[in-house]
Amino acid sequence: HLSRWGFSCDCTCCNSASDPQRAFLCGQVAGCKGLRMAEAASLGACSSCGSSVDSAQAAVLLRKEAAFVERYRSLEQNFADMPDPQVTLPRVLADAQKVLAEEHWTVNGLLDMNQDLFEQFGNIERAIQMIEARQRAWTHLMPRPSVQAGFLHEKRADMLLRRGRRADAAAGYLASLNAFRAVIRLGDPDGWYADVAGKFRSCLEGA
């Protein structure tokens, strides 16, 4: 699919038959924490217990995935007009998490929407739970330092500071700085590092 941009990629992700951002729960073995990835029109074996699903089971799960994707896109497009979002968004997320893993892009999007919702209505503890779930998923998908990891650490630290957890917030800002430092090689043209550094200093000075 990258050929339309004039190049091809040989990385593990682009050459893998499975899609790590379409991760499903195992669903076959009680208590199993493994994931199974989408592979074309099927699903792969569980990453933990090795169980597989037959074509009929895969078809059912893929139809459920398609329904959640459609529901997510509808919520995203009509967010401003959503009736009773404090009920609707958590319910859709909970339903999706019965089938799809945190690593699935749809669940990640729903976590992001719920995070914004809880923050808007002042439920910071629930907002922190949402961003921590996003951090777990991103760390699994991209264990190396990244700009996204830096932003997630910063956002969590912002919310921890609002809850008065200054020491935890400082640790979060430091994690954000370390992530940015590892990937920003040519100065700080967008000011990301400088912004977080300022928050980190303020956090320490207010301790």
Side-chain angles (χ1 to χ4, degrees), residues 107-123:
V107 172
N108 200 270
L110 289 168
L111 287 167
D112 190 21
M113 293 174 72
N114 275 272
Q115 173 193 316
D116 289 343
L117 174 77
F118 289 128
E119 189 173 11
Q120 177 184 343
F121 285 94
N123 193 340

Side-chain angles (χ1 to χ4, degrees), residues 90 93 114-115 118-119 123-131:
L93 173 61
N114 275 272
Q115 173 193 316
F118 289 128
E119 189 173 11
N123 193 340
I124 304 304
E125 287 299 331
R126 289 283 280 144
I128 291 171
Q129 291 173 11
M130 297 298 106
I131 198 166

Side-chain angles (χ1 to χ4, degrees), residues 103-175:
E103 289 80 359
H104 196 290
W105 69 269
T106 305
V107 172
N108 200 270
L110 289 168
L111 287 167
D112 190 21
M113 293 174 72
N114 275 272
Q115 173 193 316
D116 289 343
L117 174 77
F118 289 128
E119 189 173 11
Q120 177 184 343
F121 285 94
N123 193 340
I124 304 304
E125 287 299 331
R126 289 283 280 144
I128 291 171
Q129 291 173 11
M130 297 298 106
I131 198 166
E132 287 176 344
R134 294 178 63 204
Q135 285 182 302
R136 286 193 300 270
W138 184 255
T139 299
H140 185 245
L141 289 169
M142 181 65 70
R144 298 185 300 275
S146 65
V147 169
Q148 177 68 0
F151 285 137
L152 290 172
H153 283 303
E154 178 188 8
K155 183 62 177 178
R156 178 175 176 271
D158 288 344
M159 289 189 282
L160 289 170
L161 193 58
R162 289 178 62 181
R163 293 296 295 165
R165 295 167 58 182
R166 191 172 296 275
D168 292 334
Y173 288 134
L174 183 59

